[in-house]
């Protein structure tokens, strides 16, 4: 069950989606990732893999070629969930590194549909439920603004400037 409420983060107007459960399985479902699949077991469960990113074919190819093999990983997860490999126009979900703004970097570099679906924040002191921030423009400065608000540390990722 999702409850949607409009929020503002400074000058950035967002749509905040609050999950009624603290279980990350709901975030995995909404993202479109398979449950019970070991390669996605880190999604929304660690300190950085919090962005549900819909990866286009150019972004997948670039990620793999630049040392961040999430293109092929997202394609395998798509196949595991749907029983077919993604085609050249399918967007494949993956939980990208929020700390290095991977999704907005790829979205800005490629015009292939790559975009941020939502950014997940697990329960924290003063907030008993996890929440997701949707409607984040796929620009690094916007994703960074949300990262700062949620107090997630910046870090590097191969192939992302």
């Amino acid at each position: 069950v999702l409850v949607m409420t409009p929020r503002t983060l400074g000058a950035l107007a967002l749509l905040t989606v609050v999950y009624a459960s603290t279980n990350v399985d709901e975030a995995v479902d909404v993202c479109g990732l398979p449950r019970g699949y070991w390669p996605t077991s880190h999604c929304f469960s660690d300190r950085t893999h919090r962005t549900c990113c819909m990866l286009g074919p150019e972004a997948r190819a670039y990620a793999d070629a630049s040392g961040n093999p999430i293109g092929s990983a997202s394609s395998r997860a798509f196949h595991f969930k749907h029983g077919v490999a993604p085609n050249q126009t399918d967007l494949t979900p993956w939980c990208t590194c929020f700390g290095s703004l991977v999704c907005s970097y790829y979205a800005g570099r490629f015009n292939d549909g790559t975009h941020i679906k939502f950014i997940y924040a697990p329960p924290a002191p003063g907030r008993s439920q996890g929440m997701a921030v949707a409607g984040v423009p796929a620009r690094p400065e916007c994703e960074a603004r949300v990262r700062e608000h949620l107090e997630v540390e910046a870090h590097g990722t191969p192939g992302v400037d």
Side-chain angles (χ1 to χ4, degrees), residues 19 21-22 122-130:
Y19 289 86
S21 169
T22 59
R127 188 180 68 241
S128 63
Q129 297 179 322

Side-chain angles (χ1 to χ4, degrees), residues 34-144:
R35 278 200 202 186
Y37 180 62
W38 182 84
T40 58
S41 62
H42 67 291
C43 292
F44 313 113
S45 297
D46 65 14
R47 294 186 51 85
T48 192
H49 293 96
R50 295 184 181 180
T51 302
C52 174
C53 186
M54 302 305 291
L55 294 167
E58 293 176 64
R60 291 193 301 266
Y62 174 81
D64 287 349
S66 66
N68 185 21
I70 64 172
S72 54
S74 69
S75 293
R76 287 190 300 271
F78 183 98
H79 184 267
F80 182 86
K81 181 170 179 127
H82 300 287
V84 296
N87 64 37
Q88 284 300 314
T89 59
D90 284 329
L91 299 179
T92 57
W94 194 253
C95 57
T96 56
C97 290
F98 186 34
S100 55
L101 313 176
V102 169
C103 193
S104 57
Y105 178 81
Y106 292 164
R109 187 173 175 120
F110 304 105
N111 187 23
D112 65 352
T114 298
H115 67 277
I116 297 169
K117 188 170 183 179
F118 65 85
I119 298 168
Y120 181 72
R127 188 180 68 241
S128 63
Q129 297 179 322
M131 71 173 195
V133 182
V136 178
R139 296 192 317 266
E141 63 272 17
C142 297
E143 192 175 5

